[in-house]
Amino acid sequence: MKKFFVAIMAVLFSAPSFAQYSSGGFSLSESSVYYGLRLGANFSTLTGDYQDLGTRVGMNLGGVVGLRVSDTTPVFLESGLYYASRGAKKDKESVTTHNLEVPILIKYGIQATDDIAVLPYIGPYFALGVGGNVKYEDEVNDVTVIAKKSTYDYYNHFDMGFKVGCGAEYNKLYMELGYQFGVTNLAKENPADLSAHNSSFYVNFGVNF
């Protein structure tokens, strides 16, 4: 986590280097394509029958591409590929998932000032779990130990849900806050018919060019 926050600070302090450019990695007044890099943190948990688990802090890392889809209105379609570490945690129990995620977002551009563009957005995401583990307390020969198994012994690989948030851009420097919620039941079939859904608040920093 220390390296992660150092990387965020490096992005923030690089802001003056973008001052030579006009506001935004795209123009709100003309058709354009833009590209971006994102780095940030998410604060995730599992909802449904796993509400006794708390929040886990993970990392987001990705690249995006956006395209203006209207000649008369500043509406953009943005997608890309993210790595996202999510899950849930409470005391010595935890669920960790490592995901490859593709969002499909509709963004609306608002020129707040000469230098700042505001971009609220909404859209679905599709994620594939590629790793992770579940840690829990277990009894072995009357001794309590921390056991570890693959996340996908208990949860499905595929997840789908929706993201809603708002970004702001200043001279190509970008920041966004958002919330995403899964609609796919991640829990595998089980006798108790338990359900589990991803839920995450996130903050990302980056650049558009």
Side-chain angles (χ1 to χ4, degrees):
M1 290 300 294
K2 181 178 179 181
K3 292 182 178 179
F4 165 65
F5 285 110
V6 169
I8 288 181
M9 294 305 294
V11 172
L12 288 175
F13 284 110
S14 66
S17 66
F18 301 111
Q20 59 185 313
Y21 298 100
S22 61
S23 176
F26 54 86
S27 170
L28 297 182
S29 60
E30 61 185 31
S31 300
S32 60
V33 176
Y34 66 92
Y35 304 90
L37 299 175
R38 305 286 186 262
L39 174 66
N42 64 72
F43 306 87
S44 61
T45 190
L46 293 172
T47 61
D49 295 310
Y50 294 82
Q51 293 184 8
D52 58 327
L53 291 175
T55 300
R56 179 182 180 276
V57 180
M59 183 180 76
N60 300 319
L61 177 64
V64 302
V65 57
L67 171 68
R68 180 165 177 154
V69 295
S70 171
D71 292 332
T72 59
T73 307
V75 175
F76 298 83
L77 179 66
E78 181 182 290
S79 187
L81 179 63
Y82 283 82
Y83 159 79
S85 176
R86 290 196 290 267
K89 183 178 182 180
K90 183 178 180 181
D91 299 328
K92 296 180 180 180
E93 299 182 14
S94 66
V95 178
T96 301
T97 61
H98 303 292
N99 305 279
L100 296 179
E101 179 182 297
V102 176
I104 302 175
L105 305 176
I106 296 294
K107 291 190 168 186
Y108 184 82
I110 303 169
Q111 198 73 44
T113 71
D114 289 341
D115 298 318
I116 297 175
V118 177
L119 299 112
Y121 61 83
I122 190 171
Y125 73 87
F126 305 88
L128 179 67
V130 295
N133 58 69
V134 174
K135 294 181 181 180
Y136 59 95
E137 290 188 344
D138 196 11
E139 294 287 337
V140 178
N141 297 325
D142 297 326
V143 177
T144 301
V145 299
I146 301 298
K148 181 188 295 186
K149 289 188 176 182
S150 170
T151 297
Y152 306 106
D153 289 345
Y154 305 96
Y155 302 97
N156 296 308
H157 286 266
F158 179 75
D159 182 32
M160 181 267 175
F162 293 90
K163 303 180 76 168
V164 58
C166 187
E169 187 171 355
Y170 171 73
N171 290 331
K172 293 197 175 185
L173 184 65
Y174 181 82
M175 176 184 176
E176 67 180 1
L177 298 171
Y179 174 70
Q180 66 184 78
F181 56 95
V183 297
T184 302
N185 183 9
L186 296 178
K188 288 188 172 180
E189 293 184 5
N190 55 82
D193 196 27
L194 299 177
S195 65
H197 300 271
N198 269 320
S199 175
S200 177
F201 289 94
Y202 60 87
V203 54
N204 288 328
F205 301 88
V207 293
N208 285 338
F209 49 89

